[in-house]
Amino acid sequence: MAREKLNRRGFFRITAGVLFAGFLGLWGKIVNKEIEYTKHNIIRLPFDKSRKITFTGDFIIVNDKDNLNVYSSHCTHLGCVIKNIENGKFVCPCHGSEYSLSGKPLKGPAVKPLKKYDFELDKAHGKIVVKG
Ligand code: FES
């Protein structure tokens, strides 16, 4: 009897896990729908020049005083996605690493800077073109 309950409980846990993973996958597609992935690892990101910081999927766009940069949103500690800025710093939600707006680590556990991407600005279409 106890084994049967455990199996049923395990089944529900696995089912809930699969449904949750599916939801996360679908949510990721919804959130990233403005990002265009093309052949040859070229990624086109939406660019709103009126915004200083834009978090968009795997990228953070920093538009600070005519200085435009694109960084990975993945923390260099264990890869969590950074989606938040506090007191002028990027803050990782997992273990609290902090980065400057230029991607330099300010507080650990991360010790490496955020990955910086080369890009071109497509002004005609309002896009940033990143070579991934
Ligand atoms: S993954 Fe960001 S601090 Fe650990």
Side-chain angles (χ1 to χ4, degrees), residues 36-48:
E36 301 168 33
Y37 293 89
T38 61
K39 293 179 182 175
H40 312 295
N41 288 337
I42 294 175
I43 304 156
R44 299 172 61 81
L45 305 172
F47 176 53
D48 179 353

Side-chain angles (χ1 to χ4, degrees), residues 75-82 92-99 108-110:
C75 179
T76 58
H77 176 227
L78 293 176
C80 288
V81 175
I82 299 167
C92 179
C94 292
H95 311 105
S97 287
E98 295 179 355
Y99 299 88

Side-chain angles (χ1 to χ4, degrees), residues 30-72:
I30 291 168
V31 168
N32 289 333
K33 74 180 182 185
E34 290 187 331
I35 300 174
E36 301 168 33
Y37 293 89
T38 61
K39 293 179 182 175
H40 312 295
N41 288 337
I42 294 175
I43 304 156
R44 299 172 61 81
L45 305 172
F47 176 53
D48 179 353
K49 64 182 176 186
S50 68
R51 297 188 65 174
K52 183 176 178 181
I53 308 289
T54 305
F55 296 93
T56 179
D58 295 331
F59 303 94
I60 303 171
I61 301 166
V62 179
N63 182 20
D64 191 19
K65 299 174 188 161
D66 297 330
N67 197 6
L68 184 61
N69 288 296
V70 178
Y71 299 97
S72 169

